[in-house]
């Protein structure tokens, strides 16, 4: 079967527009004057959310598969300080809420 110009054109790769990764949002300082517990809770929720996203990116969608060891291994891989047991529990709750 001879190769025609039309066949060569259909085998050409389609042009993909270059996409740039989104720029991170500029961080704003936390509001002043709140009780210390509020800041601790706020930072714990942020850490748990980052870990939950990282776990879901690796294919863990069920809270029962997100053991403390798996969460801490993911934290080390992503470059986050090891989470406490309370933060690990919060990560599982976030995964449960996202999938449920």
């Amino acid at each position: 079967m001879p190769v025609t110009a039309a066949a060569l054109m259909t085998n050409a790769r389609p042009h993909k527009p270059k996409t740039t990764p989104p720029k991170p949002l500029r961080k704003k300082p936390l509001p002043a004057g709140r009780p210390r517990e509020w800041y601790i809770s706020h930072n714990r929720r942020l850490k748990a959310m980052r870990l939950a996203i990282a776990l879901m990116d690796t294919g863990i969608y069920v809270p029962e598969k997100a053991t403390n060891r798996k969460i801490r291994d993911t934290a080390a891989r992503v470059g986050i300080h090891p989470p406490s047991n309370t933060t690990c529990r919060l990560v599982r709750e976030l995964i449960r809420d996202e999938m449920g």
Side-chain angles (χ1 to χ4, degrees):
M1 180 169 162
V3 178
T4 63
L8 289 174
M9 291 174 67
T10 57
N11 289 336
R13 290 185 180 174
H15 174 68
K16 285 187 177 179
K18 291 186 178 181
T19 58
T20 58
K23 293 182 181 178
L25 297 175
R26 191 174 355 162
K27 291 185 178 181
K28 295 186 282 187
L30 293 175
R34 306 251 178 152
R36 179 172 169 75
E37 293 79 26
W38 183 89
Y39 297 102
I40 293 170
S41 173
H42 175 76
N43 288 330
R44 176 172 283 138
R45 287 190 309 262
L46 290 177
K47 184 177 194 175
M49 182 62 70
R50 285 193 301 269
L51 287 168
I53 291 168
L55 283 167
M56 293 173 84
D57 284 346
T58 62
I60 296 177
Y61 301 108
V62 181
E64 292 75 28
K65 292 196 179 221
T67 61
N68 286 1
R69 172 177 230 133
K70 180 74 80 174
I71 293 169
R72 289 186 176 114
D73 288 346
T74 302
R77 187 175 45 82
V78 177
I80 299 174
H81 286 284
S84 66
N85 290 340
T86 303
T87 304
C88 290
R89 230 179 355 262
L90 184 55
V91 168
R92 283 188 287 276
E93 287 177 22
L94 289 170
I95 293 173
R96 181 177 294 114
D97 288 346
E98 184 63 30
M99 293 289 112

